[in-house]
Amino acid sequence: MPGNPWKQEAKNMPATPSTNAPDPQDTGHRGLRFNTLTVADVRQETPDAVSIAFTVPDDLADSYSFRAGQHLTIRHDADGEELRRCYSISSGPGDGEVRIVVKQIDGGVFSSFANHDIKPGMQLDVMTPSGTFCPDLTPGHSAETNYLVIAAGSGITPIISIIRAILTAEPNSNVTLFYVNQRTGSIIYRGALSDLKDKYASRLSVIHMLSREATDVPLYSGRLDADKLKAFVPFHFEPGTVDQAFLCGPAEMVEGLRDGLADLGLDRTRIHQELFTPAEGITARPKGTGPADITPEGVEVTAILDGVERVFTLRPEDNSIVGAARAAGVELPFSCSNGMCATCRAKLLEGEVEMAANYSLEPWELEAGYVLTCQSRPKTAKIKVDYDQV
């Protein structure tokens, strides 16, 4: 389960994804870097959420092409402190724009800045897209796939991109969306979903649920859990016909629904998840703790990025490979630093590490030897990781 240590040893095997894995040529960290982009548009989606679109120059168009379900990392200086925040891309790959949604969080420094201060024409440091929470689409009429997608709150951002991509790329595939919000007024992209439903009436079903607002039918009120999802089966979907499921929202909800879908007979390899918050009670590991007894001399770490080897030392006080790199002045990809976004994903080539948490790597990635370097502490005297192997 997420939150438990994940032991990884280097494996001499190719990173061959399963049939449900994303196309390795379209994902990962190759060329992952920050560029300064201009804000093209800011829209008030709900009273506490804005969407932000960026102008991408022609010479960076290829770098910012993305797959549905991927995300961007924004870097911002807040009174001398570097902040990095990760936001899923909500636009579809064929929409002609790159757009994210930022929801106001109580006490959130960047979310407050985004909701109150970001205006068209401003410039922000934006990392190129990354992430593997992506459907493996088959463009054209040959695919007849049934997708079940579930989102809560701002978890709709990668999900609506996935929906747009499916409906456009696979004309014979169908999508059923369960979307949970507190109240009607907090539904992000309510109008956009309605427009998609009108356009693809025969292939898209949208079921709204409200957790803090009464509805005419009690079944559609309250939180969505495994029991309630099972109650929806006679009305909205048949588990035996679901080919792929994508879940995005709080950890407790997503993990419960994942288990519920498995109990209904859906193979776990067909259930994909992205979490917005870690499981209750799981906190970031403090510096200097981890599975390994690291000598004062430290552990030698070699990181390959953009074809260049960078060597640095991970010392006992460092909490992860990423943390040690930052202390040594080595720039490696990272964003959330708590194991949820996979921006720091790399393949372990040499040595053994243990991860404190994993909320984003799927079983095929773990089997292929990938690790989250923001969560990894060494168990051997030398470690080698490769960010270029996607």
Side-chain angles (χ1 to χ4, degrees), residues 49 156 215 271 328 332 334 341 357 359:
I156 193 63
T215 62
I271 306 171
L332 295 179
F334 77 93
C341 73
Y359 302 108

Side-chain angles (χ1 to χ4, degrees), residues 4 92 167 298 318 320 327 373:
N4 293 332
L167 295 174
D318 297 321
S320 67
T373 54

Side-chain angles (χ1 to χ4, degrees), residues 311-322:
V311 181
F312 54 93
T313 300
L314 189 150
R315 303 190 184 280
E317 63 268 22
D318 297 321
N319 63 340
S320 67
I321 292 174
V322 165

Side-chain angles (χ1 to χ4, degrees), residues 177-198:
L177 166 67
F178 286 90
Y179 187 17
V180 186
N181 284 277
Q182 293 183 353
R183 300 177 177 83
T184 302
S186 66
I187 300 176
I188 300 173
Y189 285 133
R190 182 184 180 191
L193 288 169
S194 180
D195 291 343
L196 285 170
K197 183 66 180 71
D198 290 342

Side-chain angles (χ1 to χ4, degrees), residues 108-155:
V109 177
F110 184 81
S111 67
S112 295
F113 168 71
N115 275 266
H116 300 292
D117 299 321
I118 291 182
K119 308 296 181 188
M122 292 182 64
Q123 293 187 322
L124 296 173
D125 289 340
V126 183
M127 188 182 285
T128 44
S130 64
T132 58
F133 182 63
C134 307
D136 188 16
L137 301 179
T138 304
H141 291 267
S142 60
E144 297 182 2
T145 306
N146 291 319
Y147 296 89
L148 176 65
V149 295
I150 302 175
S154 52

